[in-house]
Structure formats: structure tokens, C-alpha cells
Amino acid sequence: PCLSSLGLEHMGSADGGRSMPKDLVLEALADLLVSARAPLAELNLAQNSIQDAGMKKVVDAMAPAGATKLRELDVSGNRLRDGNVLSKLLFQGGERLTSLNLHGNELGDLAIVVLAAGISFAPTLRKLDLSRNRFGDEGMEALASAIGGQCDARADVAAPFEGVAASASSDDEVSRWLEDLAGGARGRSQSALWTSGGAEMGLLMLDVSVNLIMDRGAIALAEAMGGSSSSMTASSSRRKRPAGGASNLALVDLSENSVGASGREALESAVAASHRRVQ
């Protein structure tokens, strides 16, 4: 039978460090992923500190065949900082991925901006854990834009990339990367990706607890949830609102951030107005 689930969490920690070096394990895993005999559906690499170089090996190995089979990926606790690698994962394999755990990494605002761009290519992604990272309002605004962009299955895929690129205007290199990616996506109908789930597609659970998010990021998330509040600032109202209406978010964790009164008011308004019971 084919191997469908593989757990490689805490490599080298159980026996006092006498296990096989992680580089060799990752090379063996890469060989396994490119093999037609290993259509993995679940992969757990948590708490290994594989860092960006190790993650790149995994993502490159999954292209093109392996990633499209993967449904659940746990890479929590791996000291990841590079959003490009993660966005590539979503770009090449997001049509099957339902759960992505990035808890306890080192993702800052720019990494989240780039990651958010890839969410448009992950219509089946239901659960995203970004708790205990290092991003604030700019990253949260990019995520909110991507979540809001999931609402309209008729939209061109390039549109969310262009919106997220605007959020990264402070970094010319990232903006250029996103604009190039938007150019490659332009002409691909988002509805071609969103054919099997209809209105139920898109994120259902989002954990962004223990980060650096303040009112601006919370208000952006409230807007993506379909909220409308007097607390929503002029800067937030200038962002282009997705045409498809409210998101499908049902569970959101913003605990242990620095959200103030206006952010809380906006979120409470969005929850009250949501078409499902957001918790």
C-alpha cells in the first residue's frame, strides 16, 4: 500500500542527538516525495528547526506532483522566515491543501505579505495556524485582503496578488516579486480553481494569536469578515473591498496581541453581522 501519512516531528531530540542528521533525513524525504509510490496526504515536520533551506528542499521536491496530493502539512517550530517558499507551496499545491500549521516560526510582516499572496491559490485551505510568529498590522492587513479575495470565485486570480502587492509598497523588492507573480496569474480564472466547494471554500479557522497585531490589523480582519463599524478608519476604508461579500471564517483567535478598543469594536461588529457564528 502507498504511504499516505508521515510523522517526522522532533527529529534527533528523543535519543540525545544520536539520530540521523536532519539534512540526510530531508534528502531522503525529498526522494520519497518525488516518487510516484509516495502520494503523501499528511506530513508532519514539526519542531525540527529545518529553517528556510530545509523547507525549500521539501517544497522543491513536492513540485509538481507531490504537493497536489498533500492535504495537511505541519511545519511548526522550524524557525522559518521566508514567505517566498511558503507562497510557492500554496501556488503549486494549494488545490488540495486543507490545513497548514506554521505555529512558532519567525515570520515577520514581509513574509506574511508574500504568504498571503499564495492563499488565492489555496481554495481548499480550511485551517491556517500562524500563532507565535512576529508579524503585526501590515502582515494582518495582507492576510485580510487575501481572505476577503477568497469571497469572489468569479474574480481573476491576479487581483488579490495586486492588492497584497500594494500592502508591501514599503519594500520594492517584495512589491516587484508580487507584481511578477500577479502577471503570471493574470488570465487564470479563479473559478477554475474553485470548482468543487462553492460558497464553502476558503478559510474556516485562523489562528494569529501571540503576534504583534494592533487596531489597524484587527480592523482589516473585521472588514474581511464582512463587518462594518464606525471604528473602521479612513485608511482601512480606502482599501479595495472584495466584491464577493463576507468570508467563511468560523473560528478566529487573536488572543495575546495588542488590539485596543477600536479594534475590538470592529471585530465585535463583524461577528454580530457575520452570516455564520464566528467565535
Side-chain angles (χ1 to χ4, degrees), residues 50-201:
I50 63 173
Q51 303 184 50
D52 295 325
M55 189 67 206
K56 186 177 186 301
K57 289 181 181 180
V58 173
V59 172
D60 288 347
M62 290 192 294
T68 58
K69 300 177 180 69
L70 198 66
R71 293 197 308 270
E72 298 183 15
L73 177 62
D74 187 341
V75 285
S76 57
N78 276 298
R79 299 173 62 190
L80 302 178
R81 296 182 178 182
D82 189 353
N84 295 337
V85 175
L86 300 171
S87 190
K88 180 180 178 182
L89 168 70
L90 293 171
F91 180 80
Q92 69 189 23
E95 294 177 46
R96 294 282 185 91
L97 197 65
T98 63
S99 177
L100 178 59
N101 189 347
L102 292 165
H103 164 88
N105 282 291
E106 301 173 5
L107 301 172
D109 281 314
L110 290 178
I112 298 297
V113 166
V114 178
L115 171 66
I119 290 177
S120 297
F121 289 93
T124 61
L125 187 63
R126 300 292 205 276
K127 182 178 181 181
L128 177 61
D129 189 342
L130 289 167
S131 57
R132 293 190 181 276
N133 277 278
R134 299 178 178 177
F135 65 94
D137 286 340
E138 186 175 358
M140 189 66 249
E141 285 182 322
L143 279 173
S145 177
I147 292 167
Q150 291 184 328
C151 301
D152 190 1
R154 296 167 297 178
D156 179 56
V157 171
F161 280 78
E162 290 162 345
V164 172
S167 300
S169 58
S170 60
D171 190 287
D172 291 339
E173 183 178 354
V174 173
S175 294
R176 285 194 299 271
W177 184 87
L178 289 169
E179 287 165 1
D180 290 344
L181 194 52
R186 190 173 289 106
R188 291 180 61 187
S189 171
Q190 196 171 14
S191 61
L193 291 172
W194 297 58
T195 56
S196 61
E200 293 303 312
M201 286 295 194

Side-chain angles (χ1 to χ4, degrees), residues 187-222:
R188 291 180 61 187
S189 171
Q190 196 171 14
S191 61
L193 291 172
W194 297 58
T195 56
S196 61
E200 293 303 312
M201 286 295 194
L203 279 176
L204 297 176
M205 294 181 285
L206 175 65
D207 190 344
V208 290
S209 60
V210 200
N211 279 290
L212 305 171
I213 301 164
M214 301 177 74
D215 285 342
R216 187 159 51 96
I219 291 170
L221 178 59

